[in-house]
Amino acid sequence: MMEGADFLGRHLAATTPHPLGERVVGANGCWIELEGGDRLFDMVSGIGVSALGHGHPGVRAAIHGQVDQHLHVMVYGEYAQAAQDAAASALVETLQDPLDTVYFVNSGAEAIEGAIKLARRATRRNGLVAMEGAYHGGTTGALALSEPSERREVFEPLMPGVEHVAVEDFEALQKIGAQTAAVFAETVQGDAGVVPLSSAYLQALRSRCDQTGALLVLDEIQCGLGRTGRTHAFERAGIVPDILCLGKALGGGLPIGAFVASRELMAQLGHSPKLGHVTSFGGHPVVTAASAAFLAALKLEVDLGWVERVGADWSARLRAHPAVVEVRSAGLMIGVDLASAEHVNRLVEAARRRNLLIFWFLSRPIGFRLSPPLNADASELEEAFVQLLLSLDELG
Ligand code: PLP
């Protein structure tokens, strides 16, 4: 870790006082190569972005192919573009009815913004219910849905109309009512420290939304696309949201977001007003080519049962370690609490000395996260995990 922003140079914005402070010269598979010759085993995958490791050959080939064919030609929705079609079809193939229509945007936060607009437009209501501990992104709408409030307060006033409820508080679901346009929830809360919502709670959310006419929006930007051992984390609860938000891994390493709904629902953005949501770069041909290749590789190369088994095995072994206070997990999305934030800082440094990259959460200083590539070689992954256990041993 380095002090201050100096290392980023004079012209780049810095938002963390403690950047990792090393210069990347390459990244392949599970490994990040640093200037000076060190390489780090990536236990974080860029917070879930590089779910198939760095520089997946199929994704790279798709990017090269599209770059040679054409780059951006027009704002979203005017021309038919093969890469967009391929990515949307591959994504819809993984989903159930009625989720059959994809709107591609450029980031997770933008997918949330699109979902907010779609829900308000379709229901003609303005109330929004979101979860305590949520993180939905850094734009002002997504931030208004996020919690805890100290992350928001200095930026207020943000988008009005949001009420937060505690996760797993079934009584509080009565706050979803006739004025609620939508309920937003991460199926597994990410930056709160990996908090999976129970199937019973997700089912209760679904039925309260059905009763009141509110739309259920699930944010699987971090927890989706294989991370939890299911293609979509909501599958485990046997429910389907009205709007699904995706991002991160979906671009195979390029910037993307998407919100997915039924054709009928999505049609609301096409009239009154027409062009109800527009984007210059959303569905960019290079990005959607990468996304289609990512989705093809996810289907062929990731054994979701294995993801679930390794996640359960790691969680059990971590729970047995004396330095560990608590473990929460869903597949290979794992949050581990230690005795204090200071212990976490020491662990990140101990792991770095063993060429292992682990990372903090946004809102849980006593925890650290694990989200390694889902297609990692089993023995290489085990070796990295052993290095993590040895790093924990060093905490004494
Ligand atoms: N939603 C969740 C659950 C996230 O974890 C994130 C990013 O960490 C976002 C939304 C925002 O995505 P992006 O950073 O691509 O805007």
Side-chain angles (χ1 to χ4, degrees):
M1 279 183 283
M2 286 195 56
E3 279 300 315
D6 291 351
F7 124 94
L8 285 175
R10 285 181 58 198
H11 302 297
L12 280 174
T15 54
T16 168
H18 304 293
L20 289 171
E22 290 178 288
R23 197 164 281 278
V24 174
V25 294
N28 261 300
C30 294
W31 295 93
I32 298 176
E33 293 144 30
L34 301 175
E35 193 174 62
D38 269 7
R39 46 184 222 145
L40 299 182
F41 188 95
D42 188 353
M43 277 288 208
V44 188
S45 309
I47 326 289
V49 170
S50 308
L52 299 180
H54 298 279
H56 185 281
V59 173
R60 282 213 316 253
I63 292 171
H64 284 299
Q66 186 59 48
V67 164
D68 291 340
Q69 209 176 342
H70 67 85
L71 301 181
H72 183 267
V73 282
M74 192 42 178
V75 295
Y76 181 78
E78 297 292 339
Y79 282 129
Q81 297 183 45
Q84 290 178 353
D85 281 345
S89 306
L91 181 56
V92 167
E93 210 179 280
T94 67
L95 288 162
Q96 294 133 286
D97 280 346
L99 298 175
D100 64 358
T101 304
V102 184
Y103 196 130
F104 285 117
V105 288
N106 307 287
S107 66
E110 263 186 72
I112 297 291
E113 300 289 338
I116 295 168
K117 287 173 67 183
L118 178 55
R120 285 186 162 170
R121 166 66 188 80
T123 61
R124 302 283 182 178
R125 303 174 180 180
N126 54 24
L128 298 166
V129 172
M131 301 292 135
E132 288 178 8
Y135 181 72
H136 294 293
T139 53
T140 52
L143 195 56
L145 293 171
S146 302
E147 212 271 345
S149 51
E150 63 260 26
R151 295 199 57 76
R152 294 193 322 251
E153 267 158 14
V154 295
F155 305 110
E156 287 177 348
L158 299 171
M159 175 183 66
V162 182
E163 194 165 6
H164 286 94
V165 296
V167 293
E168 306 293 335
D169 181 347
F170 288 72
E171 303 234 315
L173 297 183
Q174 293 308 315
K175 291 188 178 162
I176 303 167
Q179 282 313 309
T180 311
V183 179
F184 280 74
E186 295 158 84
T187 318
V188 179
Q189 290 191 318
D191 281 297
V194 181
V195 180
L197 303 194
S198 71
S199 292
Y201 186 68
L202 287 166
Q203 288 156 7
L205 276 179
R206 175 70 278 175
S207 59
R208 185 66 190 154
C209 286
D210 290 341
Q211 276 165 17
T212 56
L215 301 182
L216 178 60
V217 183
L218 290 182
D219 176 345
E220 300 215 353
I221 289 162
Q222 192 174 142
C223 67
L225 301 170
R227 176 57 52 199
T228 66
R230 305 282 179 135
T231 305
H232 304 286
F234 64 78
E235 291 167 11
R236 128 188 92 85
I239 56 148
V240 181
D242 299 294
I243 305 176
L244 175 66
C245 293
L246 295 169
K248 289 191 183 279
L250 182 62
L254 295 192
I256 199 168
F259 56 105
V260 189
S262 70
R263 187 143 211 86
E264 191 190 355
L265 189 54
M266 203 66 95
Q268 304 291 321
L269 291 177
H271 63 93
S272 321
K274 72 175 184 177
L275 300 168
H277 195 65
V278 286
T279 163
S280 297
F281 287 117
H284 189 283
V286 177
V287 178
T288 44
S291 179
F294 164 78
L295 289 163
L298 178 67
K299 188 168 155 188
L300 287 176
E301 293 172 24
V302 174
D303 176 348
L304 295 173
W306 177 83
V307 169
E308 197 161 12
R309 284 194 301 280
V310 175
D313 173 58
W314 283 16
S315 299
R317 288 158 73 191
L318 285 163
R319 273 187 199 105
H321 194 284
V324 168
V325 173
E326 190 177 296
V327 181
R328 297 164 304 276
S329 67
L332 279 173
M333 181 170 178
I334 302 177
V336 186
D337 285 355
L338 302 181
S340 69
E342 174 53 27
H343 283 76
V344 174
N345 292 342
R346 278 171 49 209
L347 181 72
V348 172
E349 284 174 6
R352 169 64 189 88
R353 287 192 294 274
R354 294 176 178 277
N355 294 331
L356 197 63
L357 175 62
I358 60 171
F359 207 66
W360 298 264
F361 291 108
L362 210 52
S363 302
R364 196 170 181 95
I366 59 165
F368 70 93
R369 67 171 87 229
L370 301 175
S371 51
L374 304 175
N375 60 344
D377 173 78
S379 55
E380 204 174 44
L381 197 61
E382 171 61 21
E383 171 54 23
F385 184 68
V386 168
Q387 293 302 320
L388 173 65
L389 294 178
L390 292 171
S391 309
L392 280 165
D393 290 347
E394 284 183 38
L395 297 181

